[in-house]
Amino acid sequence: MESNFINNHIDDTRKNFITHESFGGVLLFFCVVMAMIIANTNFGVLYNEFFDMYLDFDIGGHRIMHISILHFINDVLMSFFFLMVGLEMKREVLYGELAGFKSVSFSVFGAIGGLIIPSIIYLYFNHGTPSANGFGVAMSTDTAFALGVILLLGKRIPSVIKIFLITLAVADDLGAISVIAIFYTETINWIFLYIAMILLIILIIFNYMDIKYISLYCAVGILLWICFFLSGIHATVGAVLLALTIPGKSQISRHSYLGLKEAYNKLYFQTRADFATFEPTSIEETNFFGRIIHGFKDFFASSYRNIKNFMASKSDMEREIDMHKEHERVEILDTITRYSRYAQNPLVRIEYILQPLNAYFIVPLFAFANAGVSIDSSTDFHIDGILWGVILGLVLGKPLGIFLFTILSEKLKIAKRPEGLTNMHIISVGLLAGIGFTMSMFVANLAYQTNAAAIDLAKISILLASLIAATLGMISLWLNTSETKDDIKEED
């Protein structure tokens, strides 16, 4: 019973994730187009000036942060995105398609291939140049954009393709985050890093003690983020580590269960007593205008009843009885809320909150702030081999690496292919994995941070590569999938 409940709950979470990410991908595309249009018109100057404005955060007269709006979005707000990425990783490993070595290895090997081959292609074009450090730009997948493309094809796409894409992207994100932590950290302030490790140990202890207060994890998590920010390691790594310490199981004690059962019994008998005095409406209006008239009548009748009750004098005994009943109702509902909240899964609760926040606000805002690149005669397309390295790395390297490594892992019998997933499905997903917008843009800001022209060229290359990958992926999926029986019935 419990395992079935958990599996159903996780399935609902995955469906919510796919829905939010898919529609978020469409919104993401809209924000990219708007940013490009604005940046290449007379409003481009205002666009750049706005995101270059600085925000100051002071406490007690001491300035603790002086940061531009662009960097605030990329470093602070995007930490919520990486927190959700970490939660997705943990959920998939605990309950999802990544649970078990055979299941996880197929997607993991595909992700490894999708990281290595694009990096090799990029380094081939940029070996020995200052831009060689940007190999991480050509190795990341944007799940929202990829799922947005799948959304356009509707129910034509079988669930096995969606699940393979999600699990592949989760493993891919883990690799990209590792690259950020290892290769894009210049100097380390060890004092703040040691403090961060202590805070991380405290969070692990909270998890071990099965503490469910999310506010407590958030408070320590904020301190952890600040320590990583000041240590020199990118703060988003701290957000991922925080996610891994969030409890992923729902455990309710016998005492809490009995308290919840007792509260529900009280609610049942209280509700029966209350309904005995109710007078249900005998006439149900089905006509539209009839419902409007009935609504006005009900409004005036209830208003008259409330005024009459207010003007009527009640004895102290009657008031005391009314307040006692109201107090009982509040106490019952408060008890149920308290025990129910404690029994909920903290990981799923936080992810449920973060999914729409990221899909509809943070990631589209990041896209709008970073995709506004002005393309004119002064744009230098020949900075080292960035253009060809990024485009060929994402468009060619991603599907090639994913396909080769998944097939190799299957041949060596160290991974098991998901049932119903064909070779052409793997290639199609590999093409979609070449859509590397969000993570690639994020890495580009870190890799070329001292060269604004290289950042602009990298962003243009990412946009071109993502457009090509999305087009090829959509065509490949259309040719290698067919309408389901449900779709045919709906059309008939």
Side-chain angles (χ1 to χ4, degrees):
M1 287 288 290
E2 184 178 356
S3 61
N4 290 335
F5 173 78
I6 292 175
N7 290 333
N8 292 335
H9 195 56
I10 298 303
D11 288 340
D12 291 339
T13 303
R14 185 183 289 117
K15 289 177 183 177
N16 289 333
F17 169 77
I18 292 174
T19 302
H20 289 310
E21 290 291 289
S22 299
F23 284 105
V26 176
L27 180 59
L28 200 61
F29 176 77
F30 175 77
C31 289
V32 170
V33 173
M34 289 300 298
M36 290 294 294
I37 292 174
I38 292 173
N40 288 278
T41 60
N42 295 332
F43 295 100
V45 176
L46 294 175
Y47 171 89
N48 292 320
E49 287 180 351
F50 173 78
F51 287 111
D52 286 338
M53 291 173 58
Y54 274 81
L55 301 173
D56 295 325
F57 296 91
D58 300 330
I59 295 180
H62 298 283
R63 179 167 296 175
I64 61 171
M65 190 177 292
H66 178 67
I67 188 172
S68 68
I69 293 178
L70 179 62
H71 285 131
F72 179 81
I73 294 171
N74 293 348
D75 294 343
V76 180
L77 292 185
M78 282 298 285
S79 292
F80 291 98
F81 168 75
F82 281 93
L83 175 61
M84 190 185 73
V85 168
L87 293 173
E88 290 165 7
M89 291 178 191
K90 184 169 183 176
R91 171 172 55 80
E92 288 296 331
V93 170
L94 288 177
Y95 307 111
E97 299 299 322
L98 298 183
F101 179 76
K102 285 281 186 177
S103 300
V104 68
S105 56
F106 193 82
S107 296
V108 167
F109 275 106
I112 292 173
L115 296 173
I116 293 176
I117 302 301
S119 300
I120 293 174
I121 292 175
Y122 179 89
L123 290 173
Y124 173 80
F125 287 96
N126 292 275
H127 179 67
T129 69
S131 301
N133 190 45
F135 68 92
V137 176
M139 56 190 287
S140 303
T141 298
D142 191 302
T143 313
F145 255 141
L147 284 173
V149 172
I150 285 181
L151 175 69
L152 297 177
L153 297 176
K155 294 181 180 179
R156 183 185 186 90
I157 307 301
S159 59
V160 66
I161 292 181
K162 297 176 185 178
I163 293 173
F164 178 62
L165 174 60
I166 293 171
T167 53
L168 181 76
V170 168
D172 184 279
D173 286 342
L174 179 59
I177 291 166
S178 301
V179 168
I180 291 172
I182 297 170
F183 295 100
Y184 298 113
T185 299
E186 297 179 357
T187 58
I188 297 179
N189 188 321
W190 290 100
I191 295 177
F192 285 106
L193 187 60
Y194 291 145
I195 297 173
M197 292 300 104
I198 294 172
L199 293 172
L200 192 60
I201 292 172
I202 292 173
L203 288 168
I204 293 172
I205 293 172
F206 286 169
N207 185 302
Y208 179 77
M209 296 174 62
D210 195 32
I211 294 176
K212 299 294 181 66
Y213 298 108
I214 293 179
S215 56
L216 197 58
Y217 287 95
C218 290
V220 180
I222 292 172
L223 296 176
L224 181 69
W225 182 92
I226 293 173
C227 287
F228 268 100
F229 183 82
L230 297 176
S231 70
I233 298 177
H234 205 275
T236 52
V237 177
V240 175
L241 293 175
L242 168 63
L244 299 181
T245 65
I246 302 297
K249 295 182 180 179
S250 301
Q251 296 179 356
I252 182 168
S253 65
R254 179 178 174 83
H255 171 74
S256 299
Y257 177 78
L258 292 175
L260 187 61
K261 183 179 179 181
E262 183 182 351
Y264 270 117
N265 286 335
K266 288 183 179 179
L267 179 64
Y268 171 73
F269 288 112
Q270 183 70 50
T271 305
R272 286 189 62 184
D274 288 343
F275 267 97
T277 61
F278 287 165
E279 295 180 3
T281 305
S282 57
I283 301 175
E284 182 180 351
E285 298 288 350
T286 56
N287 182 273
F288 176 75
F289 293 103
R291 288 198 300 270
I292 294 177
I293 295 172
H294 178 74
F296 275 109
K297 287 169 60 179
D298 184 62
F299 170 77
F300 286 113
S302 60
S303 299
Y304 170 76
R305 193 163 50 249
N306 291 333
I307 294 173
K308 180 181 178 181
N309 291 335
F310 177 77
M311 298 300 294
S313 59
K314 282 188 175 182
S315 65
D316 293 339
M317 181 64 71
E318 288 176 323
R319 290 195 183 95
E320 186 176 340
I321 291 173
D322 288 345
M323 289 303 299
H324 180 69
K325 286 184 178 179
E326 191 65 31
H327 177 75
E328 282 185 346
R329 295 190 188 100
V330 171
E331 186 178 18
I332 292 171
L333 294 176
D334 182 65
T335 303
I336 292 174
T337 301
R338 186 170 66 253
Y339 286 132
S340 299
R341 187 171 294 274
Y342 186 80
Q344 289 177 9
N345 189 318
L347 185 150
V348 176
R349 281 179 60 197
I350 297 176
E351 190 179 3
Y352 182 81
I353 295 170
L354 288 179
Q355 279 175 359
L357 179 66
N358 279 288
Y360 303 131
F361 175 65
I362 293 177
V363 175
L365 180 61
F366 171 85
F368 183 74
N370 287 273
V373 183
S374 177
I375 304 176
D376 51 34
S377 57
S378 63
T379 304
D380 186 0
F381 289 94
H382 303 288
I383 301 176
D384 301 328
I386 293 177
L387 180 67
W388 289 112
V390 172
I391 292 178
L392 292 180
L394 288 172
V395 176
L396 181 63
K398 270 292 185 181
L400 184 62
I402 290 170
F403 181 75
L404 290 179
F405 274 64
T406 50
I407 295 300
L408 181 62
S409 66
E410 186 181 32
K411 294 296 183 183
L412 295 176
K413 297 183 179 180
I414 55 178
K416 181 181 178 182
R417 180 194 298 236
E419 187 176 350
L421 191 70
T422 67
N423 287 341
M424 291 310 300
H425 289 164
I426 296 174
I427 293 174
S428 301
V429 170
L431 288 168
L432 288 181
I435 304 174
F437 183 79
T438 304
M439 290 293 285
S440 293
M441 288 274 190
F442 190 86
V443 174
N445 290 323
L446 299 176
Y448 314 113
Q449 55 185 318
T450 58
N451 189 341
I455 292 177
D456 288 344
L457 179 57
K459 290 180 178 180
I460 294 172
S461 305
I462 292 166
L463 291 173
L464 289 173
S466 298
L467 180 61
I468 296 170
T471 304
L472 293 177
M474 185 180 295
I475 293 173
S476 179
L477 282 173
W478 180 266
L479 294 176
N480 293 291
T481 57
S482 58
E483 291 182 344
T484 62
K485 294 180 180 179
D486 292 338
D487 292 334
I488 296 173
K489 287 179 181 179
E490 287 177 8
E491 288 180 2
D492 293 340

